[in-house]
Amino acid sequence: MTDTKSDPTADSVATTDASDLPDDVILRVNHLVKEFPITKGVFFRKQVGAVQAVSDISFEIKKGETLGLVGESGCGKSTTARSVLRLLQPTSGDVWFRLETEDEEIVNVATAKKDTMRQVRRNMQIVFQDPYASLNPRMTVATIIAEPLTVYGEGSKQERLDKVKDLLKVVGLSPEHANRYPHEFSGGQRQRIGVARALALNPSFMVLDEPVSALDVSIQAQVLNLMDDLQDEFDLTYLFIAHDLSVVRHISDRVAVMYLGKIVEMAGRDALYDRPMHPYTHALMSAVPIPDPHIESNRKRMLLEGDIPSPANPPPGCRFNTRCPKAVSGKCDVDEPEFKELEPGHWVACFFPEVEKVY
Amino acid sequence: MTEPLLEVDDLRTYFTTEEGIVRAVDGISFSMMPGQRLGVVGESGSGKSVTALSVMGLIEPPAGQIVTGRVMFKGRNLLELDEDELQSVRGGQIAMIFQDPMTALNPVYTIGDQLMETILLHQDVNRSEAREIAIQAIEDVHIPNAKAQMLDYPHQYSGGMRQRIMIAMGLSCNPDLLIADEPTTALDVTTQAQIMDLMLELAEERGTAVMLITHDLGVVAGFCNDLQVMYAGGIVESGTIDDIYYNPQHPYTWGLLESMTRLDDEQQHRLYSIPGSPPSVIDLPRGCRFRPRCGFATEICGQVLPALRPVGNPGQMAACHHAEELNLKELKADAAPTVEPAAATDSDLTDVDLDLQEADVEGIEAQRSAMDQVEGEEGSL
Ligand SMILES: Nc1ncnc2c1ncn2[C@@H]1O[C@H](COP(=O)(O)OP(=O)(O)OP(=O)(O)O)[C@@H](O)[C@H]1O
Ligand SMILES: Nc1ncnc2c1ncn2[C@@H]1O[C@H](COP(=O)(O)OP(=O)(O)OP(=O)(O)O)[C@@H](O)[C@H]1O
Ligand code: SF4
Ligand SMILES: [Mg+2]
Ligand SMILES: [Mg+2]
């Protein structure tokens, strides 16, 4: 049930091979689709349908850049992240990735063989949202951070210990913490441990799946600053996933907005926040509260009607049409809008794109 | 002058745990006027929910004890009422809504039954009148087809719809005070905007006082008139929202405001961040509870707990020894004094055990083979 209807315009960012991958691009995601089967029955599990959690999305990330991926709960952000790392096998589509080897080999993560995948996994790392669930409670911090080194058989024990010590310092913890267990740490400290582990194999690309969402504001700022510093120090490229548009504005160079499995708008950060064109982006921005009473009291909120439809049963036409204030019946609920480049680098999937000031 | 609706005086709520005494709320005083919308903000564990539960008489002994204090509501001390009297106040004159509506809704009863039960408990009406009031309450929270919705069960609803039902239930008895504990924290931002808009409309229309508990200073800015900031079981600052956002007097409040990312912030400047993390309320630092994280601390801060006292604009209060001298309003984040971090010893890590336990090795092996198994349908982590 793969969506084969390719849109011609998107092909300029999304092609079927990577021979034209510009030198400065580290990742190209091309018509990525991820479906989860819906099954029924206990003994004879029969597939009765599919949830298309990620529905034909394409984007690129340049070396050293941060792409923010933002959207509401269930829109497919984590599924995108896991498919890019192939922690989930994509249903279709390609994930071209420039390996940091001598000859900068470009590989398709979606179909790569075992040996290549081992290299890919050293180069790509992920930090998860929940600093409580993502660390093994029975392991010491040192064991957790050294785990990728141990698994890949890197270095002698002393070398690994030295690396753990370095990593602890890099993320702002102290070497004394090495022998303690995760429960002895606060949320922010645990997130630092997760980051240290992700850095252990010197990756070039990191997926940060809501790394600060579970943290208090005062701790959020610490972790955001840490991610900034690490990016500079180690030349890292980030895919930064969040549901908070103000965090995304702070951290990203470019931003992609997702709704119900699709990217509906993608642009450079200033273009997106100053000149948002998709009605969903407008609604999302308009809903974000600003910690400033005068601004808030003068703001006119654009409120959406109803709830997000189930991804198991997305509406026909534009997926946003059931809640869109601009939707035209007979058009938006029938045809799917193309993802078009309306200004250089500014992509929008809407029949009626229009710049709006929303705050 | 009108009488305050609620007056909390020197409230202390402690919990006895294996680790020690948790001083969750440790000597707070504040009051609310009829129709006032008061925000209560603070980090996780600062005592916001325990404050609300104490007011509602929902602290469970023997572990939880209100050790001192008065909670005067319309002239009566709620802490002296028996359970029957409290029951009639709760849900009637004071209503509460929670972060997770499912904890307050019973999954085996219909929405209509639950609404009617609340109404019958608190109002002198018969069943058919209760039904009318319930239907009206559902309409008031802008849920279409109210009559049909009465027959639905909570699990048939999305998070946003359930929170609307909670608001309907909370307001069905026309309470004087609505306590909303993180009512939108579990919701998406577009749903949050709908719910806050609805609460504002209904509270204004009916003159209901609202205590809004949240960790989000953005939500407070659009909803509340006044605000109090909690830190480690105490109130460190209170005032009108304008006082606090534009003229903060406490270093913690200032730090919170400075460390927020803002939607309208065009510069990608470095964020200010408050160093360290909040103290454990079992083992509170001596003196000011914020001292270990405060760049302005002096000797007295380590010795004397500062009292909440008038400072800044008229009516504004803060609990900081140095509030008058700091002029935080003009302070730029990059000029803020820093805290010396606890000296990190540069010990060698020779004595650390890196060996994986057998069970862990199994886990990692499984994970590794899942990762390596690239032809398979799905890996896992
Ligand atoms: N393993 C799975 N099996 C079936 N459905 C799944 C699975 N994982 C995710 N989904 C569904 O796919 C959709 C997208 O989920 P995903 O976790 O990617 O969303 P998200 O954008 O990360 O949301 P959140 O902000 O809540 O983390 C959801 O409808 C979800 O229920
Ligand atoms: N029943 C209980 N037994 C023991 N300790 C408790 C109990 N309830 C709360 N506490 C402790 O009291 C302190 C204050 O908790 P409270 O729930 O009021 O925090 P909060 O400000 O509401 O935080 P959050 O933002 O996480 O909801 C915390 O340290 C908490 O662990
Ligand atoms: S009392 Fe001292 S330690 Fe506490 S906030 Fe004020 S200056 Fe900082
Ligand atoms: Mg997710
Ligand atoms: Mg709470």
Side-chain angles (χ1 to χ4, degrees):
Chain A
M1 211 189 75
T2 307
D3 189 358
T4 44
K5 194 182 60 187
S6 66
D7 56 53
T9 4
D11 276 349
S12 54
V13 279
T15 47
T16 44
D17 76 77
S19 54
D20 64 331
L21 198 72
D23 284 349
D24 59 346
V25 171
I26 190 167
L27 182 85
R28 169 183 285 171
V29 170
N30 182 31
H31 293 302
L32 178 73
V33 174
K34 177 63 194 174
E35 287 176 358
F36 295 107
I38 302 172
T39 53
K40 248 205 173 130
V42 183
F43 297 111
F44 305 99
R45 296 221 308 167
K46 208 173 67 185
Q47 187 171 341
V48 293
V51 184
Q52 207 168 72
V54 172
S55 192
D56 190 3
I57 67 170
S58 302
F59 59 86
E60 288 183 353
I61 309 182
K62 292 199 177 83
K63 253 187 210 171
E65 184 182 51
T66 300
L67 176 71
L69 185 61
V70 66
E72 292 180 281
S73 183
C75 70
K77 304 180 297 296
S78 297
T79 306
T80 302
R82 284 162 199 255
S83 305
V84 164
L85 281 120
R86 202 158 157 211
L87 299 173
L88 291 170
Q89 177 64 42
T91 306
S92 65
D94 312 302
V95 179
W96 297 103
F97 180 61
R98 189 183 296 275
L99 273 181
E100 274 222 329
T101 48
E102 301 275 293
D103 47 355
E104 295 219 331
E105 200 185 339
I106 298 164
V107 299
N108 188 351
V109 180
T111 56
K113 296 273 180 285
K114 196 167 169 172
D115 290 346
T116 315
M117 273 319 285
R118 278 183 73 80
Q119 269 184 308
V120 168
R121 296 218 188 280
R122 305 180 56 121
N123 274 230
M124 279 190 180
Q125 289 290 327
I126 183 164
V127 175
F128 295 100
Q129 163 172 5
D130 187 348
Y132 297 88
S134 59
L135 303 177
N136 186 332
R138 288 173 297 117
M139 290 189 190
T140 64
V141 167
T143 320
I144 289 170
I145 296 174
E147 188 199 293
L149 301 168
T150 315
V151 168
Y152 276 85
E154 287 271 300
S156 66
K157 184 181 173 200
Q158 188 54 49
E159 281 164 349
R160 276 183 267 150
L161 283 173
D162 288 344
K163 182 89 189 188
V164 167
K165 187 171 127 183
D166 283 349
L167 288 167
L168 280 169
K169 279 199 235 158
V170 161
V171 299
L173 295 171
S174 99
E176 285 100 277
H177 290 135
N179 254 338
R180 301 211 205 140
Y181 289 87
H183 71 86
E184 298 173 59
F185 293 88
S186 67
Q189 287 174 319
R190 287 185 216 207
Q191 207 51 301
R192 289 170 193 268
I193 296 167
V195 172
R197 175 178 58 184
L199 287 172
L201 292 166
N202 300 321
S204 53
F205 174 64
M206 284 228 249
V207 175
L208 308 166
D209 190 357
E210 311 236 19
V212 298
S213 306
L215 306 176
D216 273 313
V217 224
S218 81
I219 311 297
Q220 258 190 27
Q222 294 176 5
V223 174
L224 289 173
N225 284 343
L226 173 69
M227 298 323 301
D228 255 347
D229 295 344
L230 295 176
Q231 183 163 44
D232 290 348
E233 193 173 340
F234 300 106
D235 223 355
L236 292 165
T237 305
Y238 290 152
L239 174 59
F240 189 101
I241 293 173
H243 61 262
D244 182 338
L245 273 164
S246 47
V247 168
V248 168
R249 178 164 201 174
H250 176 78
I251 198 97
S252 311
D253 300 306
R254 280 189 309 125
V255 180
V257 179
M258 265 185 107
Y259 184 79
L260 218 54
K262 295 238 171 235
I263 295 180
V264 296
E265 182 159 10
M266 179 162 70
R269 147 192 133 97
D270 290 337
L272 190 92
Y273 286 84
D274 294 341
R275 310 174 45 74
M277 289 196 236
H278 195 285
Y280 178 63
T281 313
H282 298 154
L284 201 54
M285 280 188 187
S286 162
V288 176
I290 296 175
D292 189 320
H294 293 173
I295 293 179
E296 280 296 303
S297 65
N298 291 319
R299 253 174 116 190
K300 225 184 119 30
R301 281 236 145 76
M302 171 187 162
L303 293 177
L304 286 180
E305 299 277 318
D307 294 315
I308 305 182
S310 155
N313 192 14
C318 171
R319 295 201 170 185
F320 187 53
N321 85 74
T322 54
R323 304 173 77 200
C324 182
K326 283 193 188 152
V328 170
S329 86
K331 178 84 184 151
C332 301
D333 51 358
V334 177
D335 300 325
E336 192 177 326
E338 281 172 23
F339 193 46
K340 277 196 204 160
E341 189 171 20
L342 296 181
E343 285 170 8
H346 196 147
W347 298 73
V348 187
C350 172
F351 293 119
F352 308 104
E354 200 178 355
V355 172
E356 227 167 271
K357 194 83 194 139
V358 283
Y359 55 83
Chain B
M1 229 184 104
T2 30
E3 290 285 301
L5 179 67
L6 176 76
E7 261 186 301
V8 172
D9 184 27
D10 195 33
L11 178 72
R12 286 170 211 268
T13 307
Y14 295 176
F15 294 92
T16 314
T17 67
E18 277 175 25
E19 287 84 44
I21 305 268
V22 175
R23 292 191 276 167
V25 168
D26 203 19
I28 64 167
S29 304
F30 66 95
S31 63
M32 285 183 72
M33 301 303 285
Q36 185 188 2
R37 291 189 300 277
L38 174 71
V40 178
V41 300
E43 288 174 88
S44 187
S46 58
K48 305 181 297 294
S49 296
V50 172
T51 301
L53 295 173
S54 303
V55 168
M56 297 285 286
L58 289 172
I59 297 296
E60 287 185 17
Q65 295 283 345
I66 295 181
V67 294
T68 67
R70 284 191 321 156
V71 176
M72 301 300 293
F73 178 72
K74 294 171 99 178
R76 287 198 294 176
N77 185 355
L78 297 185
L79 301 183
E80 285 167 358
L81 301 188
D82 62 30
E83 189 52 33
D84 279 351
E85 292 170 310
L86 262 179
Q87 279 254 336
S88 80
V89 173
R90 232 186 271 142
Q93 292 162 290
I94 306 181
M96 187 157 177
I97 56 181
F98 301 90
Q99 173 173 341
D100 180 6
M102 268 327 247
T103 57
L105 290 169
N106 190 328
V108 303
Y109 293 109
T110 62
I111 299 288
D113 283 344
Q114 299 188 54
L115 262 166
M116 283 171 62
E117 191 194 32
T118 309
I119 294 160
L120 287 168
L121 189 66
H122 293 287
Q123 297 181 46
D124 188 18
V125 292
N126 63 32
R127 281 194 73 79
S128 77
E129 286 164 335
R131 176 177 305 278
E132 288 310 308
I133 298 173
I135 292 169
Q136 184 61 47
I138 297 177
E139 279 170 1
D140 288 347
V141 294
H142 307 316
I143 294 180
N145 307 326
K147 271 207 186 79
Q149 308 279 0
M150 293 275 285
L151 302 173
D152 287 342
Y153 290 89
H155 68 88
Q156 292 171 276
Y157 282 180
S158 67
M161 285 277 275
R162 282 184 207 141
Q163 207 54 291
R164 279 176 197 267
I165 292 295
M166 287 307 299
I167 295 171
M169 203 174 279
L171 295 181
S172 61
C173 298
N174 272 317
D176 302 294
L177 173 63
L178 176 70
I179 301 181
D181 190 354
E182 313 251 13
T184 59
T185 306
L187 304 175
D188 274 320
V189 66
T190 54
T191 315
Q192 165 172 286
Q194 294 170 350
I195 296 291
M196 292 313 300
D197 189 66
L198 174 68
M199 291 214 330
L200 187 59
E201 173 199 318
L202 295 175
E204 272 187 333
E205 203 175 277
R206 302 168 184 214
T208 316
V210 183
M211 184 192 296
L212 177 72
I213 295 176
T214 172
H215 58 270
D216 189 338
L217 280 161
V219 170
V220 170
F223 183 85
C224 297
N225 329 106
D226 299 281
L227 172 60
Q228 64 196 30
V229 181
M230 290 192 72
Y231 189 79
I235 295 173
V236 294
E237 180 155 8
S238 67
T240 66
I241 50 173
D242 282 9
D243 293 343
I244 292 187
Y245 286 78
Y246 304 123
N247 189 21
Q249 296 296 314
H250 196 284
Y252 174 65
T253 315
W254 177 85
L256 270 187
L257 288 165
E258 285 296 319
S259 56
M260 289 192 77
T261 52
R262 284 175 63 139
L263 183 74
D264 59 345
D265 194 349
E266 286 165 16
Q267 256 85 54
Q268 247 168 342
H269 60 82
R270 197 174 171 75
L271 289 173
Y272 174 76
S273 74
I274 303 176
S277 40
S280 146
V281 279
I282 295 179
D283 189 18
L284 286 168
R286 235 169 79 90
C288 173
R289 292 169 192 153
F290 187 57
R291 181 193 47 79
R293 306 175 74 187
C294 182
F296 302 101
T298 60
E299 211 179 326
I300 187 177
C301 304
Q303 290 159 354
V304 182
L305 178 67
L308 189 67
R309 62 199 170 82
V311 58
N313 301 340
Q316 190 173 3
M317 314 241 272
C320 166
H321 291 300
H322 299 298
E324 286 83 357
E325 310 140 39
L326 300 180
N327 195 17
L328 293 170
K329 192 178 169 180
E330 306 297 334
L331 182 66
K332 292 276 174 290
D334 46 16
T338 50
V339 184
E340 281 300 310
T345 52
D346 206 26
S347 62
D348 276 332
L349 279 187
T350 39
D351 52 340
V352 172
D353 184 13
L354 272 193
D355 292 337
L356 297 165
Q357 313 258 314
E358 206 163 306
D360 297 331
V361 174
E362 272 170 34
I364 290 168
E365 283 299 322
Q367 180 182 315
R368 193 174 171 184
S369 60
M371 281 180 172
D372 287 346
Q373 193 196 342
V374 294
E375 265 80 41
E377 163 56 2
E378 248 141 61
S380 64
L381 198 99

